[in-house]
Amino acid sequence: MSPREQLLKMQRIILRQLKRSVHRLEGESSPEILRYYQAYKREFKNYQKISNKSELLKSARQADIIFGADFHPFAQSQRTHLRILRELVKHKKPVVLALEAIDSKFQGSVEAYLDGEMDDKTFLKKINYSRVWGFPWENYKVLFDFARMYDLPVYGVNQSSLDRQKSDLALRDSHSAEKIVALRQRFPNALIYVVYGDLHLASSHLPRLTRKYLGKKDGTRFLTVFQDSESLYWQLAKRRLEERVDVLKLRTDAYCVVNSPPWIKWQAYLNFLEQIADSEDKELSSDQDDTINHFIKLIEKVWKVDRAATDFDSYARGDVQFAHHISKTLKKKDLNRVMILVGKEKSFFIPTPPTFYLGTVDVNHIVSLAGQYIHSKMRCENKIHLQFPQDTVPHIWIEAIGFFASKLINNRRKFAFLEDLPSHHHVTLIALEERLHEQMALKTGKPLKSVRRNRYRKYLDYYEASRVVGAILGNRIYTAYQKNNLDHVKLHRWLKTPVSNSPRFLRFYISVLEDLKKVQVLERSKNERL
């Protein structure tokens, strides 16, 4: 079985396991939800053609009402709409936001919040957010912040229930359709951008009702933007296109954005449900260590690493025990560096004592750190490489291995290429300097130079620059692995190589770059993708 076949098999297993875990916590779905799900799946039997960001945005600018599919607990889902909105506000047509997340009866509170008359805490209490909606507020806050920045009206269009499983979906759709039609009539020259749960956006549900209430002779132009269809993802995978395609055109009035593989959003849903279970019933929840251990085992399986060690601790943001835990073993200079990362809410792994610190609960970060954990065990090394600029290359290598691990789980993971970075920024200049030194070492055979120390460059500038270069290198390693240009013998040798800033390690690092030099990597700027 080729590495690609092995990865696809693993991905299907991950998806099945996640769905089982979600269903265990969520319970049986109502017959109405199952009917909605079947209608939703019919939208993705096939697609008209492979499209792109430019074509989608052109269609969006021509629409009068956009129905944007929302997978509520998955932050990437809301941010996709945020990225589309950023493009739409560049044009003269005004935009009105319509949100399922807010009950229409709370419109007065919405307007007071946007006008700055309420803080977040007061607003959420006024609209009974935690009970009526309950999905992570930070996912939706970005839409409100954007609306405030560009002075966009925001309207709640939902008719909520305290029990979404038992609520009448058809009645909610009818209420929302009436509200959307009212907005269309109130703002006839505006684009109404509706962010609504994906199951409701099957053409037979909310769009159909909205069309019905507008009237047969109404010429309002609709566009539906779906996201991350599972069936379309596997169709693309059969054609080896799952990492290359960002947008699919389903029909004239519908597109599907491909931002993440399907198991990533299911992992986000599981994390959300586990947080609820943790607050309600400890026996139903699994803890953070279980999630980390799960990904460690998955990566070990792909890398064919036979290690059962799980001797780690994990801490989440704000855990006061973390500093006490690491202060017993870390040198003062390392402790100071680590605490800077804590203060900036970064996620990181330190090998001694083996510890995961999660600034955010993000699958990409967790898997990256799981890869770094395995890497530290394989090279039997406990040193922390956070003294910059001398540890720039060691940290790049550690970040590269972690990024490689994360790409095995999320092959759609985005990262910044050098052209995506702001010019003349210290992070950009350090990354460019490092890449220049690498190219010179490859071309001349001379030792790799270290990036220079500069009194204007801060500790976090070096840290972030090494992460940028590490991600680019990790993506190249992933591509080599998937294309059968990196076998497990060589991979294990790389993973076992001790990491340091010594001339011997720097020679090893350049040899890796030499090995990967001919690997053809699909490089696309973030600006080209949604």
Side-chain angles (χ1 to χ4, degrees):
M1 186 182 295
S2 70
R4 175 178 168 77
E5 291 169 335
Q6 184 186 18
L7 285 175
L8 289 173
K9 181 180 179 182
M10 182 189 73
Q11 289 163 359
R12 289 184 182 274
I13 291 171
I14 291 172
L15 185 57
R16 285 197 298 270
Q17 290 174 339
L18 286 169
K19 286 185 175 181
R20 282 198 296 267
S21 297
V22 164
H23 293 150
R24 175 177 65 88
L25 289 171
E26 191 177 42
E28 291 294 321
S29 298
S30 70
E32 188 180 27
I33 287 179
L34 292 175
R35 287 196 298 272
Y36 265 59
Y37 182 62
Q38 291 304 316
Y40 171 75
K41 286 204 303 183
R42 288 194 290 272
E43 299 287 325
F44 309 109
K45 285 186 177 180
N46 48 51
Y47 56 90
Q48 190 180 101
K49 68 170 189 173
I50 292 171
S51 185
N52 54 49
K53 176 182 175 180
S54 296
E55 185 179 10
L56 169 58
L57 291 175
K58 181 179 179 181
S59 295
R61 287 191 286 269
Q62 294 170 350
D64 299 308
I65 298 176
I66 294 178
F67 295 98
D70 181 28
F71 195 78
H72 311 315
F74 186 37
Q76 187 64 237
S77 180
Q78 296 82 33
R79 289 186 178 276
T80 294
H81 295 304
L82 184 64
R83 287 190 282 269
I84 294 173
L85 286 164
R86 282 180 184 143
E87 296 297 325
L88 293 177
V89 296
K90 294 177 182 177
H91 297 78
K92 292 181 179 180
K93 192 172 186 178
V95 177
V96 176
L97 263 180
L99 303 180
E100 180 197 9
I102 308 296
D103 192 308
S104 60
K105 68 184 179 184
F106 296 124
Q107 189 58 36
S109 296
V110 170
E111 291 171 7
Y113 176 64
L114 289 172
D115 289 341
E117 297 172 12
M118 294 183 190
D119 59 16
D120 284 21
K121 185 177 180 180
T122 304
F123 174 59
L124 297 181
K125 185 176 180 180
K126 283 277 188 182
I127 66 174
N128 203 8
Y129 184 87
S130 61
R131 292 192 65 201
V132 170
W133 190 243
F135 292 102
W137 164 239
E138 57 269 21
N139 292 12
Y140 295 91
K141 177 175 167 55
V142 295
L143 295 174
F144 279 92
D145 291 344
F146 180 82
R148 186 181 287 121
M149 181 182 298
Y150 287 95
D151 198 24
L152 308 184
V154 178
Y155 288 84
V157 295
N158 198 2
Q159 185 178 51
S160 54
S161 166
L162 294 181
D163 189 342
R164 280 185 296 274
Q165 283 284 339
K166 295 180 181 178
S167 65
D168 190 319
L169 300 182
L171 280 177
R172 286 174 54 201
D173 282 356
S174 179
H175 176 84
S176 296
E178 290 176 353
K179 294 297 179 182
I180 293 166
V181 169
L183 290 175
R184 171 66 178 153
Q185 293 168 345
R186 182 175 177 182
F187 301 98
N189 298 318
L191 165 63
I192 313 300
Y193 199 109
V194 183
V195 179
Y196 217 97
D198 45 13
L199 296 191
H200 297 264
L201 299 191
S203 52
S204 58
H205 290 134
L206 185 58
R208 183 187 67 81
L209 284 171
T210 306
R211 179 67 70 190
K212 176 183 176 182
Y213 296 159
L214 281 167
K216 292 181 179 179
K217 295 182 179 181
D218 184 88
T220 298
R221 294 163 295 184
F222 286 7
L223 182 71
T224 302
V225 180
F226 292 105
Q227 294 191 62
D228 300 324
S229 161
E230 181 180 329
S231 60
L232 293 182
Y233 179 87
W234 296 121
Q235 288 181 46
L236 290 173
K238 286 181 180 178
R239 299 176 59 190
R240 294 178 174 263
L241 294 173
E242 76 277 14
E243 295 180 30
R244 294 175 173 268
V245 174
D246 300 322
V247 181
L248 292 168
K249 187 173 184 178
L250 307 184
R251 53 184 186 270
T252 304
D253 63 348
Y255 289 80
C256 183
V257 176
V258 186
N259 255 333
S260 301
W263 53 92
I264 297 296
K265 70 178 186 181
W266 280 89
Q267 181 68 58
Y269 194 16
L270 179 61
N271 292 344
F272 168 72
L273 292 175
E274 285 179 340
Q275 288 175 6
I276 296 174
D278 189 45
S279 63
E280 296 177 353
D281 187 343
K282 294 288 184 182
E283 292 184 2
L284 280 176
S285 67
S286 63
D287 80 6
Q288 185 170 274
D289 288 1
D290 294 333
T291 302
I292 294 170
N293 196 38
H294 169 70
F295 285 120
I296 289 173
K297 289 179 178 178
L298 285 175
I299 298 303
E300 286 178 338
K301 186 174 182 179
V302 176
W303 287 352
K304 296 186 178 180
V305 174
D306 186 19
R307 288 183 177 274
T310 53
D311 57 334
F312 64 82
D313 293 290
S314 69
Y315 295 86
R317 183 181 64 193
D319 193 326
V320 296
Q321 295 298 318
F322 173 71
H324 177 71
H325 169 71
I326 63 172
S327 62
K328 299 175 183 178
T329 53
L330 290 190
K331 297 177 181 177
K332 185 176 179 179
K333 64 177 183 177
D334 288 330
L335 180 62
N336 290 341
R337 299 305 192 196
V338 167
M339 294 313 295
I340 290 174
L341 300 182
V342 171
K344 295 296 182 179
E345 298 183 353
K346 302 293 183 182
S347 296
F348 55 87
F349 170 76
I350 55 175
T352 179
T355 305
F356 291 77
Y357 184 88
L358 302 179
T360 57
V361 181
D362 178 276
V363 173
N364 291 328
H365 292 164
I366 293 173
V367 183
S368 290
L369 302 183
Q372 291 182 21
Y373 169 84
I374 299 167
H375 186 201
S376 73
K377 290 297 177 183
M378 290 195 70
R379 67 183 194 267
C380 302
E381 182 189 3
N382 294 324
K383 186 179 178 184
I384 296 173
H385 299 283
L386 291 174
Q387 298 300 318
F388 297 111
Q390 61 267 36
D391 278 340
T392 300
V393 173
H395 196 250
I396 288 171
W397 179 239
I398 291 169
E399 287 288 337
I401 296 300
F403 192 88
F404 168 39
S406 73
K407 283 280 285 188
L408 297 171
I409 302 300
N410 182 6
N411 53 14
R412 303 276 316 181
R413 184 178 183 185
K414 295 178 181 178
F415 60 99
F417 288 98
L418 295 182
E419 56 266 33
D420 294 320
L421 301 176
S423 59
H424 304 297
H425 191 283
H426 288 307
V427 171
T428 309
L429 295 175
I430 293 169
L432 287 170
E433 184 181 342
E434 171 60 31
R435 291 299 296 271
L436 178 62
H437 289 169
E438 292 173 4
Q439 294 305 312
M440 289 299 294
L442 285 168
K443 187 175 181 178
T444 65
K446 294 181 179 179
L448 177 63
K449 292 182 178 180
S450 175
V451 294
R452 60 192 175 87
R453 188 184 300 276
N454 185 309
R455 65 192 179 100
Y456 296 108
R457 294 175 175 178
K458 298 179 180 179
Y459 167 75
L460 283 173
D461 293 332
Y462 291 101
Y463 177 82
E464 293 297 343
S466 62
R467 291 191 67 208
V468 168
V469 180
I472 295 170
L473 177 56
N475 184 59
R476 187 169 287 273
I477 296 171
Y478 166 77
T479 305
Y481 180 83
Q482 198 193 42
K483 291 184 175 181
N484 292 336
N485 293 329
L486 173 61
D487 59 34
H488 288 98
V489 174
K490 180 177 285 188
L491 174 61
H492 287 187
R493 180 169 62 81
W494 286 2
L495 294 173
K496 290 177 180 178
T497 299
V499 176
S500 69
N501 52 27
S502 67
R504 182 176 181 179
F505 174 75
L506 296 180
R507 287 194 296 272
F508 159 77
Y509 178 79
I510 290 299
S511 73
V512 170
L513 300 185
E514 187 69 47
D515 281 344
L516 298 172
K517 190 165 61 175
K518 295 182 180 179
V519 175
Q520 296 295 314
V521 178
L522 178 65
E523 294 192 356
R524 289 179 299 166
S525 167
K526 274 187 175 182
N527 295 328
E528 298 176 37
R529 303 173 62 182
L530 279 171

